[in-house]
Amino acid sequence: MAEDDLSPETSAALDALALRFHAADGLGMQVLSMLGGQAEDLLARLPMPVRRGLDGATRRALEIALNAAQASRGRIADRPDWLNRVVTTAMGAAGGAGGLPTALAELPVTTTVLLRAIQGIAADLDFDPGDPKVRAQCLQVFAAAGPLARDDGTDMAFLSTRVALSGPAVHGVISKVAPRLATVLGQKLAAQAVPLIGAAAGAATNYAFTSYYQEMARVYFGLRALARDSGVPVETLLREFRLRVDPPKRIA
């Protein structure tokens, strides 16, 4: 199916999703400007023991978040995107106020709020967060590059990764997502650990992270909702979406 075969409504929806994807770029620039460095420099600022333990800490944070976020769904209503940003911004400030120890303690809490926000977006688009496949897909959103790493808008691998329907699917996704997310969360920890401005950096970082992952979740589940509602295969929509985000360069 080519672009000309898409309905005007489907084409317009793809355009809107591509704009969302591009809008997520640059959300972390305020943090890097505040810190006066580059994203790749942040991890080097962490103590070596913390760097070595990032993968394990991230895996534990994801497992805690998965259980806590799912358990909270029957007791706490989904919040709008802006309120999730307010909550995590306050948590980031508190985490950064005490330097690295409090930032490490805040990590699983913020991850839980982020995952719950992603689940809420899935539910908003009529997907069931209690479905094992949807739970795994919510985790898959964390495979997107973080807000401090994006620079060209072409990291779209997380959108097309297939999630298996087997029993251990969720834990398999955690295993694949954790190493990449560890780098992203390491940058967040390093920002919060900067002396004197840790609270401000923590607030700005959490705001950027929450905004970023919420936008990525709306793109991820938006494409799948569009495939469901339009009858166009998701592979076709992903191809057309990629052309909008990263159009081929014309040869003069």
Side-chain angles (χ1 to χ4, degrees):
M1 180 180 289
E3 164 69 19
D4 292 343
D5 298 323
L6 297 177
S7 70
E9 293 79 12
T10 300
S11 184
L14 280 172
D15 290 341
L17 289 171
L19 285 174
R20 271 193 181 276
F21 191 86
H22 277 306
D25 285 341
L27 284 170
M29 293 306 102
Q30 58 182 317
V31 181
L32 293 179
S33 177
M34 175 188 296
L35 300 175
Q38 301 295 319
E40 54 269 22
D41 298 334
L42 288 176
L43 283 175
R45 302 182 186 185
L46 289 174
M48 186 57 71
V50 174
R51 274 186 273 168
R52 289 198 186 104
L54 270 176
D55 273 14
T58 302
R59 187 185 298 269
R60 288 191 297 274
L62 284 172
E63 290 171 347
I64 291 169
L66 182 65
N67 294 328
Q70 194 63 35
S72 72
R73 295 201 60 80
R75 301 193 299 269
I76 303 171
D78 291 324
R79 293 184 290 254
D81 290 358
W82 69 266
L83 187 53
N84 287 320
R85 289 193 292 269
V86 169
V87 170
T88 57
T89 297
M91 290 166 54
L100 193 55
T102 54
L104 281 166
E106 175 249 331
L107 191 63
V109 183
T110 294
T111 306
T112 299
V113 175
L114 287 174
L115 182 56
R116 178 59 199 273
I118 293 168
Q119 290 179 344
I121 288 168
D124 188 44
L125 292 168
D126 295 325
F127 293 97
D128 178 12
D131 183 301
K133 182 175 181 178
V134 177
R135 291 178 73 194
Q137 289 175 329
C138 288
L139 287 167
Q140 182 63 32
V141 173
F142 283 126
L148 304 187
R150 294 181 59 80
D151 59 3
D152 59 5
T154 59
D155 175 50
M156 288 179 276
F158 81 103
L159 291 172
S160 55
T161 300
R162 292 182 177 273
V163 176
L165 287 171
S166 59
V170 167
H171 293 289
V173 173
I174 287 178
S175 296
K176 292 177 181 177
V177 169
R180 180 161 196 173
L181 185 60
T183 299
V184 176
L185 294 182
Q187 294 166 347
K188 168 179 144 55
L189 289 174
Q192 289 176 287
V194 175
L196 302 180
I197 64 167
T205 303
N206 272 23
Y207 178 88
F209 272 60
T210 307
S211 299
Y212 174 83
Y213 283 115
Q214 286 182 151
E215 290 298 294
M216 292 298 103
R218 292 207 173 273
V219 170
Y220 185 96
F221 286 105
L223 284 166
R224 280 151 181 78
L226 187 58
R228 177 195 65 207
D229 299 339
S230 69
V232 179
V234 69
E235 292 80 7
T236 300
L237 293 176
L238 282 168
R239 185 181 69 244
E240 295 297 332
F241 176 79
R242 186 180 294 273
L243 289 173
R244 285 162 168 77
V245 172
D246 187 26
K249 294 178 175 58
R250 298 182 182 276
I251 300 176

